[in-house]
Amino acid sequence: MSGRAGTSADSERSSGFPGGVNYIGYCAFVENLRFSIDRGLFSNAIPVTITTATVNAAIRYTLDFNTPSQTSALYTAGFNLAGTTVIRADGYATNFGPAGAETHTYIFYDN
């Protein structure tokens, strides 16, 4: 289990008091997302995949700069990127707090 200060999961924290509950409804957080290729500058097309070590976690993503939510597009297969793209993704699982949105920007320049 990993607590993540500064993530969207902080909004689920109770007001808390000594001996009280610190988080409501989560037994843990979805493990951090891993992008197969880190953000950067590219001249050729690249395949990008996203994974998490949390079993049965759903990865949700956006390509329009919006923060992903549980109703965003479901990630089911990798991306083949050939043009500038911003991928924002987060991981969700039952009884888990979200992983915390990650943003990777892939910039392609002309040769």
Side-chain angles (χ1 to χ4, degrees):
M1 178 167 102
S2 59
R4 292 181 170 79
T7 69
S8 60
D10 284 345
S11 64
E12 299 297 323
R13 192 178 304 209
S14 71
S15 58
F17 55 89
V21 175
N22 291 326
Y23 284 94
I24 300 171
Y26 301 148
C27 63
F29 288 86
V30 172
E31 291 294 323
N32 290 334
L33 301 182
R34 286 186 228 120
F35 286 69
S36 61
I37 297 177
D38 202 17
R39 58 186 66 88
L41 298 170
F42 303 90
S43 58
N44 297 311
I46 56 170
V48 176
T49 59
I50 308 169
T51 59
T52 178
T54 303
V55 177
N56 296 324
I59 296 173
R60 301 286 181 158
Y61 71 93
T62 66
L63 301 174
D64 61 4
F65 303 101
N66 287 312
T67 301
S69 68
Q70 291 185 32
T71 59
S72 296
L74 178 65
Y75 174 83
T76 58
F79 300 96
N80 289 312
L81 304 180
T84 297
T85 305
V86 176
I87 302 174
R88 298 193 76 189
D90 204 347
Y92 299 92
T94 303
N95 296 325
F96 284 71
E102 297 233 7
T103 303
H104 283 243
T105 303
Y106 301 90
I107 298 172
F108 288 80
Y109 56 90
D110 295 328
N111 290 333

